[in-house]
Every structure is written in structure tokens, then in C-alpha cells.
Amino acid sequence: MAGTPGHPIFLLLLLCAVGQVSPYSTHWKPTWPAYRLPVVLPQSTFNLAKPDFGAEAKLEVSSSCGPQCHKGTPLPTYEEAKQYLSYETLYANGSRTETQVGIYVLRSGEGQSSGKSRRKRQIYGYDSRFSIFGKDFLLNYPFSTSVKLSTGCTGTLVAEKHVLTAAHCIHDGKTYVKGTQKLRVGFLKPKFKDGQGANDSRSALPEKMKFQWIRVKRTHVPKGWIKGNANDIGMDYDYALLELKKPHKRKFMKIGVSPPAKQLPGGRIHFSGYDNDRPGNLVYRFCDVQDETYDLLYQQCDAQPGASGSGVYVRMWKRQQQKWERKIIGIFSGHQWVDVNGSPQDFNVAVRITPLKYAQICYWIKGNYVDCREG
């Protein structure tokens, strides 16, 4: 594959989106767009020193750079995109590697390269969150895909052994947070009393739930977060993938490329998380998208620390299979105060899964790019 290192990344992005459906057609259904996706492939991997795991876990991320600030930031060049999408891998034994990547667009079977502090508020007026109770809901899709990290955040099952979450849940931009070396993922399950089983006559009563934990084998964090957390570009890369030591045996939710907000059903997003003001409860919410940039979705879904890392999803029509399907299109990151026309306004923010991020996360899951050609 011939390289073109100076090629602007926006030309690559223009090649990705095809097959868009007009929302104004007579019998329009909110349909998953078709994309020609780029390929993100490892080029070289080298060992790094073991981290000290000294950072304090932060359950939310704040930034003063709002939608207009981000819209005024130029898209990264090809070389910058390669740097941001390179990644660190942390293993359960504490060893660590860095992998540098290349970015390619494949066409017609050929390879061609292209390359201020304020009191935080995350509840907006009336609290519109719903606590999910009862195993009939908690153990069924889509709520069953939400899991709890031992560092205090939320994650979402996206494959047989993989969990998608926010990067800040395990890394503060400089080093890994305390407990990451022995990171665990918790799955809610019924908590039966002694002598009481699932077939007991009393099992019709509401059951208490408990977490069953699985250790994490390794984690992937993009260098865009590690390099950029000192400034606002890091917010764009606040995502991480965890690989479990064994399969979880639950239905998972696939990832998808985030469509433009105007193409989302009702302009809304959904997510469920373990908000820390409702300990032990899974909390579901939905709300309208207020604004967007290429990398971020701005909304006012009620949320509290602990919900960060939740998978943001929508349900849209999949034309090929002629069925409705939910997909993860973003990762809930945190809270922002934004200066809008001279007055402060606050948003909760989700990181969008762009075509490049999809290609990267899919490769982390699948281990090859052939299975990552549809977004």
C-alpha cells in the first residue's frame, strides 16, 4: 500500500460516508447508513515500562471547550490521526506495549493509503432517569449489556469477551488509575437467600441482585487520550476497550458508526449506567441531542458520576436484514460548562464512534480488518 503522509485527513473522511438516506422520503425509516470504512492496522509494537497505577479514579471528565470551540478546531492531518489512533495495551501482569498504526482506504479490491471551575450539575430540572428493577428487565437485552467496572464506572458488552468504556475510567491521561492492574467487570445476577433457588415458590417476589465479577485480561487506550488529555483534543478520544479473561455468555450490543444527529430516530439517544447516587441500581435514560461536532454529541441526559463509560445507543432499521437493530454509537464521557453567547450552559457529552474509531475498535475486537468492513 503506497503511503501519502501529507494527505489531509478530511479527504479520507469524505470517502467513508456513502449510501445516506434522506429523512424526508415518503416512507422513511431511520435507517443505518452504509459506509465505506477505512482500515486501521498495526504497523509496529514495542514494550513500555510498567506503569505505577498511581492515579485516582475520576468518574467524570470536565472540559470548557464546547461545541463552537470544537467546531473551530481543524480536523487532524493524516499523520496526526495516526498518532491519535496509535494505542497502549495493558496486560493483567502489569506489562505494557505501544502499537503504532497505519490508516488505509480500500477500494475495488486494491489498497490505497490516505491518509473555569464551576459546581458540576448533571441533572437538568426534573430527574428523568429510570431505575431498572427486577431480573426480568435487568437480565434481558438491552439492559443486560450494561456492566460495572471495579474502578466505579460503567461499561457495555460489545462482543463475547469485550467491554467498551471511557478511557478516563482506567487512565487519567498520564498514568493508569489505582486498581487497573486487577481490573474487574461486574455482571448483575439474582442474589438468592440461603435455601432459596430460582424454582422456589417465593421467587416471584422482587429479588435482590448482586455483582458477579470477571477479571480483565488486557485493555486498549488510544494515544489521542494519553497525549491529549492536557488539552481539549483528549475528550475526542475518551474511550477504551477491555478484554475479559473468559466469555461472559450474554447477548451483547454491536458497535456502529454514529450517524448525524438529524438522522437519529426522534433526534434521541439512550444509555444505561450505574450512577453513584443510586448504588446497586442500573439507571436508564434517554434524551434529545442538543448539538454535535464530528467527534462529540452534546445532550442533557440526566446523569451522575458512575454513569460515565456507558454505551450510547440508538435503534434503527437495518436494510440488509430487514429488521430493527440497536447499536452503540458513542460512549458517555462526562460534563461540560459551555459559554453560549456570553452565558454559561452545561451539557453532558458523549464521544461519537466515527468511521476511524469504528475501524480501530473493531480491529481490537476481531483482530483483522476483513470483518470490519461494515459500519
Side-chain angles (χ1 to χ4, degrees):
M1 299 182 181
T4 313
H7 203 345
I9 199 67
F10 65 83
L11 292 181
L12 184 150
L13 302 175
L14 288 176
L15 288 171
C16 295
V18 297
Q20 301 287 333
V21 179
S22 170
Y24 303 107
S25 57
T26 305
H27 302 291
W28 179 75
K29 293 179 180 178
T31 302
W32 288 108
Y35 289 90
R36 181 184 297 120
L37 290 173
V39 173
V40 177
L41 288 178
Q43 301 296 291
S44 61
T45 299
F46 52 91
N47 294 321
L48 300 173
K50 287 189 176 183
D52 59 10
F53 303 100
E56 295 291 338
K58 294 183 179 180
L59 301 186
E60 60 180 352
V61 172
S62 296
S63 172
S64 59
C65 184
Q68 296 309 314
C69 170
H70 276 276
K71 290 174 183 177
T73 303
L75 289 170
T77 64
Y78 172 69
E79 290 298 325
E80 288 172 336
K82 287 201 303 180
Q83 293 176 23
Y84 299 151
L85 291 173
S86 295
Y87 56 92
E88 277 193 15
T89 301
L90 176 69
Y91 297 88
N93 64 3
S95 62
R96 183 172 56 132
T97 61
E98 179 174 328
T99 301
Q100 297 177 343
V101 303
I103 302 173
Y104 309 93
V105 172
L106 304 183
R107 294 182 294 179
S108 302
E110 298 180 358
Q112 179 177 357
S113 285
S114 69
K116 289 173 187 177
S117 173
R118 297 180 182 267
R119 181 178 61 86
K120 298 179 179 65
R121 178 172 68 87
Q122 292 180 286
I123 302 297
Y124 300 88
Y126 175 74
D127 190 347
S128 60
R129 297 173 297 164
F130 302 88
S131 291
I132 306 302
F133 296 107
K135 69 176 185 179
D136 290 341
F137 290 101
L138 288 168
L139 302 183
N140 286 329
Y141 187 87
F143 303 118
S144 58
T145 65
S146 296
V147 294
K148 186 177 179 65
L149 275 58
S150 56
T151 53
C153 288
T154 300
T156 307
L157 304 176
V158 292
E160 290 87 351
K161 295 174 65 176
H162 293 89
V163 175
L164 188 64
T165 189
H168 75 261
C169 295
I170 61 173
H171 196 292
D172 73 348
K174 297 179 181 179
T175 190
Y176 291 88
V177 305
K178 295 177 181 178
T180 303
Q181 187 174 354
K182 296 182 179 181
L183 186 64
R184 300 178 300 158
V185 171
F187 298 75
L188 268 184
K189 293 200 171 185
K191 182 179 182 180
F192 298 117
K193 296 180 180 179
D194 292 340
Q196 179 180 351
N199 296 322
D200 192 282
S201 61
R202 293 171 293 172
S203 62
L205 297 174
E207 297 182 62
K208 292 185 178 181
M209 308 294 284
K210 66 177 181 179
F211 285 105
Q212 183 178 46
W213 299 90
I214 298 180
R215 286 284 301 273
V216 171
K217 178 180 179 180
R218 60 180 173 178
T219 67
H220 299 300
V221 178
K223 297 292 287 185
W225 171 257
I226 297 172
K227 291 178 178 295
N229 195 35
N231 54 52
D232 287 302
I233 198 169
M235 197 82 172
D236 298 347
Y237 297 89
D238 188 12
Y239 60 93
L241 188 76
L242 319 179
E243 182 181 345
L244 304 176
K245 284 194 170 183
K246 62 180 182 179
H248 51 75
K249 298 180 181 180
R250 286 192 180 187
K251 184 177 180 180
F252 57 85
M253 196 178 300
K254 296 178 182 178
I255 62 171
V257 174
S258 175
K262 66 182 180 180
Q263 292 187 19
L264 301 178
R268 290 188 182 131
I269 57 171
H270 309 249
F271 63 96
S272 301
Y274 292 98
D275 303 51
N276 62 5
D277 67 332
R278 300 189 186 182
N281 290 348
L282 179 66
V283 184
Y284 162 76
R285 78 235 61 203
F286 64 91
C287 67
D288 296 342
V289 174
Q290 303 291 321
D291 205 343
E292 65 182 327
T293 66
Y294 185 75
D295 286 284
L296 301 174
L297 290 174
Y298 293 85
Q299 32 78 19
Q300 292 185 332
C301 282
D302 292 327
Q304 287 287 302
S308 55
S310 302
V312 173
Y313 65 88
V314 294
R315 180 176 176 266
M316 298 176 68
W317 182 253
K318 194 167 185 179
R319 189 184 300 107
Q320 299 93 323
Q321 281 78 31
Q322 291 291 295
K323 67 176 184 179
W324 295 95
E325 184 175 22
R326 293 178 179 88
K327 289 184 182 181
I328 301 292
I329 62 164
I331 304 93
F332 178 58
S333 179
H335 184 78
Q336 286 190 355
W337 278 98
V338 177
D339 188 6
V340 179
N341 299 322
S343 62
Q345 186 173 353
D346 50 343
F347 291 96
N348 282 330
V349 184
V351 179
R352 299 178 68 180
I353 298 180
T354 63
L356 281 172
K357 293 171 189 171
Y358 177 93
Q360 179 189 53
I361 296 169
C362 184
Y363 185 89
W364 287 343
I365 295 171
K366 302 287 188 180
N368 67 80
Y369 72 86
V370 177
D371 293 332
C372 300
R373 299 303 297 141
E374 294 184 6

